[in-house]
Amino acid sequence: MKKLLALLISAVMVFVLAACTASEDAGSEKKSSSNDGKKEEKVLKLNNGAEPTSFDPPIGFDSVSWNALNNLMEGLTRLDENHEPQPATAEKWDISSDKKTYTFHIRKDAKWSNGDDVTANDFVFAWKRLLDPNTASSAAFLGYFIEGGEAYNLGEGSADQVAVKAVDEKTFEVKLTSPQAYFLSVITNPAFFPINEKVAKENPKWFAESDSFVANGPFQLSDWTHDEKFVMTKNKNYWDAKNVKLDRVEWAMVDDTNTEYQMYQTGELDTSDVPSEMADQLLKEGKVKVEDQAGEYFYRMNVNKEPFQNVNIRKAFAMAVNQQELVEFVTKNQEKPAYGFVSYGFKDPEGNDFREKSGDLIKTNVEEAKALLEKGMKEEGYKKLPQVTLTYSTDDVHKKIAEALQQMFKKNLNVDVKLANMEASVFATEQKALKFQLSRSSFLADYADPINFMENFQTGHSMNRTGWSNKKFDQLIKSAKNESDEKKRYDMMYQAEKILFDEAPIIPLHFYNQVYLQSDKVSGIVRHPVGYLELKWADKK
């Protein structure tokens, strides 16, 4: 795990989705009076890009929710500055000889922001709620390694059969279906954060407003003006409050990169993404920080909607896209073009990088794309291809990429594709419901293992969103998750990725990296390659 994370050495920042523009006072910095004897507050000003989908941990499983959640709350473990899982709410743990049972000892001084103790029952309540089919969490699959977890989530078992329990008030036990080398990293994910059971039962919407929100992390939610801004202040009840340097974090909600950059220039924000129009200049000036990230920008094709029920037509659209041109002339932020799904940086037992060994599985080939389109149309009896609509969530970068793809499909396939866009939260709901033919998407790794990429495309998986299904693929993923021999496990994942691209329900575009600007006054922000933005150690002069 250490070798893997060392290779990633990077950052996770929000890939801006969609939202309303922040008000003029969003991000304004309030300071203590200079004559009241108190020091000035340390206030960090960030942009969230959009209204958070939800601060309910198992529901806020997206890039506009989890960065803030990661700093409002804390699980049993937390990634440190070197991206390794370390004791957090749990001060230590014991692992059984078969590596399937973990017993966590929760800190005596672990408390909620309202003063309540964080208990083992808070974790039992939260983890079972994550897996409860009525919660409808798209992150529930992460808990399938818990004994009884998958059966409960699929309606084939009960909550009582989920192998999590409170041994006593401060001791939490979980039993896994098989040894999981990455378990301690997975549970740093916000989906595994505790929930104050007493508060949640008294107010099921405790997470929806700042005055009812109860945190157990470095910060607490002190203000939330919906669709405008939210503010976090230092949580004095946090067990490690002495190491939290910031007094407040103010988050604006700006969905335009150029506006965000202008706010950074005027000091209204302390960090900013880089507008593609200015990328070349800013990179040459050495003002931009560029780091890798485990994730990918891609498009999904719905195999249940014409014409993408046909594999040759899907491959034709995929091969008509020129990823190299996209990263050079559209995004222009030094991204690596993607011809597979698993990111660079994951080493197999023989020391091979997964991406390099798996190779380019689907690549630009205009002549073959034309031939495949013709073949697919004959197979379906099409004299004219059904109208194709490409849908994306509102954002200036998404729009540019969509327009570039539209031009490529016209130039390379002579196909006129319509464009449609919608607000991010509506887009996500519609995509999950398989309402789109062709739609933009993204994936950021939830934990440091290639299986996290591959499991997304299992039949019926909440992250699949293509309608695609393949029994052999499903079996390979299932077997890989239960395989203790690492060489065999990686071989299964290599086979699975090949099957995915043989049937092409997705079009890979580019692997993510972190391209950002940051004020010289700011230090200590940790941007995990696999994980989320960390402000616990952040500071500002």
Side-chain angles (χ1 to χ4, degrees):
M1 179 65 72
K2 291 184 178 179
K3 291 181 179 178
L4 170 60
L5 292 173
L7 287 166
L8 291 173
I9 311 173
S10 66
V12 173
M13 284 288 283
V14 173
F15 186 85
V16 181
L17 297 175
C20 300
T21 305
S23 67
E24 292 179 3
D25 67 343
S28 60
E29 185 170 344
K30 299 177 183 177
K31 297 183 179 180
S32 301
S33 172
S34 59
N35 56 17
D36 65 3
K38 296 180 180 179
K39 65 177 182 179
E40 290 185 347
E41 286 187 314
K42 292 185 177 183
V43 182
L44 182 67
K45 296 169 286 187
L46 303 175
N47 179 30
N48 197 55
E51 169 79 0
T53 303
S54 178
F55 280 155
D56 183 4
I59 302 301
F61 190 59
D62 54 52
S63 58
V64 290
S65 305
W66 58 38
N67 277 340
L69 265 175
N70 189 54
N71 293 284
L72 290 167
M73 304 188 78
E74 179 174 85
L76 296 163
T77 58
R78 192 177 196 91
L79 297 179
D80 65 12
E81 298 96 323
N82 298 313
H83 320 302
E84 291 286 346
Q86 299 294 342
T89 300
E91 62 181 345
K92 60 183 180 179
W93 49 84
D94 305 312
I95 307 173
S96 63
S97 57
D98 63 2
K99 298 183 180 179
K100 289 170 39 175
T101 300
Y102 285 72
T103 303
F104 293 91
H105 304 279
I106 298 169
R107 296 176 189 276
K108 288 184 173 59
D109 56 351
K111 293 184 178 294
W112 292 97
S113 54
N114 67 352
D116 292 346
D117 277 341
V118 178
T119 69
N121 275 320
D122 291 333
F123 282 94
V124 172
F125 175 77
W127 288 25
K128 286 189 176 183
R129 185 167 171 270
L130 165 67
L131 291 161
D132 187 339
N134 293 319
T135 303
S137 169
S138 58
F141 71 94
L142 291 174
Y144 282 7
F145 51 44
I146 300 171
E147 190 177 297
E150 183 173 9
Y152 178 43
N153 186 245
L154 297 178
E156 300 167 359
S158 69
D160 291 339
Q161 294 171 316
V162 178
V164 294
K165 72 175 183 180
V167 177
D168 57 41
E169 187 174 341
K170 289 286 187 175
T171 310
F172 174 73
E173 180 187 277
V174 56
K175 293 183 178 180
L176 308 182
T177 57
S178 60
Q180 303 286 340
Y182 40 82
F183 173 67
L184 294 173
S185 288
V186 181
I187 60 173
T188 66
N189 188 286
F192 293 95
F193 289 164
I195 291 174
N196 187 314
E197 182 178 12
K198 183 181 73 174
V199 168
K201 287 184 174 178
E202 290 176 357
N203 177 15
K205 296 293 183 183
W206 64 274
F207 50 81
E209 302 294 341
S210 59
D211 58 1
S212 57
F213 192 89
V214 180
N216 78 315
F219 299 91
Q220 62 187 41
L221 191 62
S222 57
D223 180 55
W224 188 358
T225 306
H226 292 284
D227 296 310
E228 185 178 311
K229 70 174 182 178
F230 60 93
V231 178
M232 306 187 317
T233 52
K234 182 175 178 178
N235 179 9
K236 294 179 181 178
N237 282 329
Y238 179 53
W239 68 270
D240 198 25
K242 65 181 182 297
N243 286 316
V244 179
K245 301 178 180 67
L246 296 174
D247 296 296
R248 192 162 78 250
V249 184
E250 299 182 345
W251 302 75
M253 300 180 194
V254 179
D255 66 358
D256 181 77
T257 310
N258 289 296
T259 303
E260 180 183 35
Y261 175 70
Q262 290 166 10
M263 292 175 70
Y264 172 77
Q265 288 289 86
T266 58
E268 295 173 83
L269 291 174
D270 290 315
T271 69
S272 173
D273 284 348
V274 180
S276 57
E277 300 85 355
M278 302 191 66
D280 290 341
Q281 176 190 336
L282 292 172
L283 284 163
K284 287 179 183 176
E285 292 174 356
K287 296 180 178 179
V288 179
K289 299 179 186 295
V290 182
E291 300 172 349
D292 290 333
Q293 182 179 353
E296 181 172 311
Y297 192 108
F298 66 104
Y299 266 73
R300 302 179 193 263
M301 289 177 276
N302 188 339
V303 305
N304 295 326
K305 288 186 178 292
E306 292 189 282
F308 297 121
Q309 80 281 6
N310 185 280
V311 64
N312 289 312
I313 293 176
R314 295 199 299 269
K315 284 186 173 181
F317 272 72
M319 290 182 180
V321 172
N322 190 315
Q323 288 87 344
Q324 189 64 45
E325 287 185 2
L326 276 172
V327 299
E328 284 186 16
F329 305 115
V330 181
T331 58
K332 298 190 288 187
N333 277 329
Q334 299 185 0
E335 301 96 340
K336 293 176 181 176
Y339 307 111
F341 195 66
V342 178
S343 294
Y344 291 92
F346 296 92
K347 295 287 187 181
D348 68 17
E350 297 174 333
N352 302 303
D353 184 277
F354 187 103
R355 178 73 275 124
E356 292 176 0
K357 182 170 180 178
S358 192
D360 297 339
L361 300 179
I362 196 157
K363 201 165 184 179
T364 312
N365 189 323
V366 174
E367 292 308 311
E368 187 172 355
K370 289 177 180 177
L372 287 169
L373 180 61
E374 184 179 352
K375 181 180 179 182
M377 290 180 68
K378 285 182 180 178
E379 290 170 346
E380 300 299 329
Y382 294 147
K383 290 184 178 179
K384 182 180 179 182
L385 194 71
Q387 177 64 58
V388 173
T389 299
L390 181 159
T391 309
Y392 62 94
S393 49
T394 306
D395 175 83
D396 59 320
V397 176
H398 300 335
K399 181 181 180 182
K400 289 174 185 175
I401 292 174
E403 289 173 343
L405 262 62
Q406 182 187 46
Q407 293 170 11
M408 289 176 186
F409 295 140
K410 178 62 177 177
K411 177 183 177 182
N412 298 334
L413 295 177
N414 196 29
V415 172
D416 292 309
V417 171
K418 288 185 178 180
L419 300 184
N421 71 295
M422 61 180 63
E423 189 270 326
S425 62
V426 178
F427 173 88
T429 300
E430 296 283 281
Q431 188 182 65
K432 289 175 185 176
L434 299 182
K435 296 290 183 69
F436 305 137
Q437 284 175 293
L438 176 64
S439 58
R440 73 147 295 272
S441 202
S442 62
F443 174 73
L444 297 176
D446 305 302
Y447 54 93
D449 194 274
I451 196 69
N452 185 217
F453 289 76
M454 292 288 91
E455 67 185 344
N456 287 296
F457 298 101
Q458 294 173 95
T459 300
H461 196 287
S462 61
M463 299 297 287
N464 187 317
R465 304 178 194 175
T466 65
W468 180 70
S469 174
N470 183 285
K471 290 182 179 179
K472 186 176 180 182
F473 178 92
D474 291 344
Q475 186 56 53
L476 283 167
I477 300 304
K478 183 178 180 180
S479 298
K481 286 191 165 192
N482 291 291
E483 180 56 65
S484 58
D485 185 310
E486 282 294 277
K487 185 179 186 307
K488 290 180 180 178
R489 192 172 75 88
Y490 267 79
D491 286 344
M492 291 173 186
M493 292 190 287
Y494 286 132
Q495 292 177 57
E497 192 183 37
K498 186 176 186 303
I499 290 172
L500 177 66
F501 284 96
D502 281 345
E503 299 204 2
I506 63 173
I507 304 173
L509 297 184
H510 67 74
F511 293 114
Y512 279 127
N513 59 5
Q514 294 306 306
V515 182
Y516 63 95
L517 300 161
Q518 181 171 297
S519 168
D520 292 338
K521 295 180 180 179
V522 174
S523 62
I525 294 178
V526 179
R527 300 173 175 89
H528 298 297
V530 178
Y532 310 110
L533 186 70
E534 182 62 74
L535 303 177
K536 177 177 176 176
W537 303 286
D539 199 358
K540 186 176 177 182
K541 296 176 184 176

